[in-house]
Amino acid sequence: MTWRTERRRRQIADKGRMMRLMRADQSQSVSVMAYAPPPQASQLADGVARAPFVAQIGADEVTAAAYMPKPRDRVEDGPKTYTLTDATPVYDGPTICGWTLIAAGGN
């Protein structure tokens, strides 16, 4: 494991919060520690975020649960539920060290 993976783990552990990642049909789910940076001022309109919801997760929890994030999965962040539009792996060399989850919604 390199410094990139360790840095990512520290950031998620220090600034993250627990979220639940699940299939659209709720057949499988996994709890993950995720870091979702707050929207920037340029992404706000009338005080409401207008940018997609983006969360960074490590690969450990999803790998242990044999879960691979994919579009149309759901992300529960407290009372809000988002639908994944994209799930991009983050590599550290040839190894997946995390995922970037891009979602829409917020119902």
Side-chain angles (χ1 to χ4, degrees), residues 41-64:
S42 63
Q43 298 171 326
L44 296 174
D46 301 323
V48 179
R50 298 291 181 204
F53 178 77
V54 178
Q56 303 288 334
I57 65 172
D60 297 340
E61 294 122 329
V62 292
T63 301

Side-chain angles (χ1 to χ4, degrees), residues 4-70:
R4 287 184 186 102
T5 300
E6 280 303 315
R7 189 173 123 202
R8 182 179 188 82
R9 284 183 179 162
R10 276 194 311 273
Q11 180 184 32
I12 291 170
D14 290 347
K15 298 180 180 181
R17 58 188 180 270
M18 290 304 294
M19 295 184 193
R20 193 169 130 211
L21 186 58
M22 69 185 120
R23 298 286 180 226
D25 63 2
Q26 298 182 356
S27 62
Q28 186 181 13
S29 70
V30 62
S31 293
V32 295
M33 180 65 73
Y35 172 61
Q40 302 297 312
S42 63
Q43 298 171 326
L44 296 174
D46 301 323
V48 179
R50 298 291 181 204
F53 178 77
V54 178
Q56 303 288 334
I57 65 172
D60 297 340
E61 294 122 329
V62 292
T63 301
Y67 189 101
M68 185 171 164
K70 60 183 181 181

